[in-house]
Structure formats: C-alpha cells, structure tokens
Amino acid sequence: MMEKTVKILDDFTSQQLSRLHEEREKGCGEHYCLGMSYISKSKADEKVHKDEALALILPRKGTAVSCEILRLFPPIPNLAKGSYKPRVLSIGHHVGPNTLILLSLLVMGRLTLVRGKDSLEFKPEKWIMEKGELKHELTHKFLTFNIEPRICYGKDVAFMETKAIAATIVHNYNVQIARGQDTRPTNAIIVKMKDGLRATIRKRWS
C-alpha cells in the first residue's frame, strides 16, 4: 500500500517537473508560483527537485484529497433544514410552512446527477483546475461545512489539521490496511465504519 502510494507521488511529481521544464523553455509558465518556477530552472539533481516540488504541491493537493474524502464520506451524513414560510426551491418544488427538510450528504456526494458518471470513484484531481489552482465548490453542492451564510468558520483550520495529522502518520508509521473488510457505515450521527478499520501499524523509525 505504502509503496504504491510513494510510486504514485513520485510519478506525479516527475510529470509536474517535466511539464515545468517544458513550459519554462517555452516561456509560458507564468501561472506557477515563484517557488515552482525556481525549481524548474535546472534539471540537475532531480531527487532534490522532487522533494522541493512535493513540499509546494502537497498543501494544495492535500486539500483536494481531503475534499474528495469528505465528498464520499461526510462525517455528518445528514443535515436538517426547516422552512418557516412557503417557499419555491430553484428546481421548482413547493415547500410548505413549518416543513422539516432532511438532506443526505452521503447520498448527494455520490449522485450521478450532481457529480457525474464517475461519482463513486475516488478522484482528488477533480478538485484541481487546469492551472493547478484548487477548485472552489458552491456550498449548496459541497455541504460538509454547511451552507452560507452559516458555513463553518473552522473549515480552514479543519483542512490544516487533517493534512498535518495525515502527514505525521505517513511520515512516522507504515500503515497496511487489512483487505476484505466490511466498509459499511454505521447508522449514527457521526459516520464511521461499522466494525472499525483494521490495520497493521509499524513505526518507521527506531
């Protein structure tokens, strides 16, 4: 599992560096940040360049991975909203007064109508725009942090903590997930695996 992940990261970084070298030679890499432009100046010592590139790329890519995980596995699967007066939704549905509306975030994040034909696939790259910028979804389409104007103020902190914890675990431990597990979620307020996640965890460093 870890070897496959490392290979994916290595291949991805190699592709990005090759693209940077080509665009720099053509003089069309203005959309990259100063740090990435600096890295692309020379093809010497590619290993060092890969490490530096990952340090710049992963914060943005890490957010994309977090968004994709939250799309497929929102920690709070259902969201309740109320209508205190008659309303007509944008799709034409009439909602009466004092009506409770339950939104299933777990279902909405996987709907083909909302997310396309590959809605059940794990694709963090869908959150990255062509120029490498993070794609910002409208809150009514990505409801994990509620809907504006009541959006969660801790959103950015949550992303930062998630990436920091993930990086710490990957750096310090070799995690091998057991195969053939029942991944069905529990019917609870907070989503978690019904039987927990079984894994073998070993320290990387003595």
Side-chain angles (χ1 to χ4, degrees):
M1 179 70 72
M2 186 57 63
E3 291 179 359
K4 183 179 179 181
T5 302
V6 171
K7 186 179 186 304
I8 291 173
L9 286 174
D10 187 70
D11 292 344
F12 168 77
T13 312
S14 296
Q15 293 172 4
Q16 295 298 311
L17 285 173
S18 296
R19 181 181 173 189
L20 284 169
H21 293 318
E22 293 174 3
E23 293 200 353
R24 185 172 182 82
E25 291 173 0
K26 295 177 182 178
C28 57
E30 295 85 358
H31 61 266
Y32 287 98
C33 68
L34 178 63
M36 292 300 285
S37 298
Y38 166 77
I39 288 172
S40 66
K41 286 181 180 179
S42 171
K43 292 187 178 181
D45 202 352
E46 200 75 6
K47 176 65 172 65
V48 174
H49 286 176
K50 284 183 180 181
D51 291 342
E52 292 176 346
L54 274 177
L56 291 168
I57 293 170
L58 282 181
R60 188 171 296 164
K61 302 299 179 182
T63 301
V65 170
S66 297
C67 287
E68 185 68 349
I69 291 172
L70 292 172
R71 175 183 75 83
L72 290 169
F73 303 99
I76 299 178
N78 301 301
L79 192 63
K81 297 292 180 181
S83 174
Y84 298 102
K85 58 182 180 180
R87 299 290 296 270
V88 179
L89 303 181
S90 58
I91 56 176
H93 288 307
H94 290 264
V95 178
N98 300 318
T99 300
L100 178 65
I101 303 173
L102 291 177
L103 305 173
S104 176
L105 278 60
L106 192 64
V107 173
M108 290 177 63
R110 301 165 183 239
L111 279 178
T112 303
L113 180 65
V114 178
R115 294 293 178 178
K117 295 180 180 179
D118 56 353
S119 60
L120 296 179
E121 298 180 35
F122 181 74
K123 290 187 174 181
E125 61 269 22
K126 294 172 69 173
W127 294 86
I128 303 295
M129 300 175 69
E130 185 178 348
K131 293 184 177 181
E133 300 169 349
L134 189 67
K135 181 180 179 181
H136 294 281
E137 289 275 344
L138 296 174
T139 54
H140 65 261
K141 187 176 180 181
F142 183 58
L143 296 168
T144 301
F145 295 96
N146 211 332
I147 308 171
E148 293 179 342
R150 298 179 179 84
I151 195 166
C152 175
Y153 288 115
K155 176 181 177 180
D156 292 337
V157 176
F159 277 128
M160 182 177 65
E161 289 181 339
T162 301
K163 288 181 284 187
I165 292 171
T168 301
I169 292 174
V170 171
H171 176 73
N172 291 294
Y173 300 95
N174 185 344
V175 182
Q176 187 171 5
I177 307 298
R179 297 184 179 183
Q181 299 188 59
D182 184 356
T183 59
R184 287 178 297 176
T186 57
N187 185 19
I189 296 177
I190 304 296
V191 169
K192 59 182 180 179
M193 289 177 64
K194 185 177 180 180
D195 299 319
L197 178 64
R198 299 194 304 276
T200 300
I201 301 175
R202 297 184 178 90
K203 287 186 177 181
R204 289 184 177 275
W205 323 107
S206 57

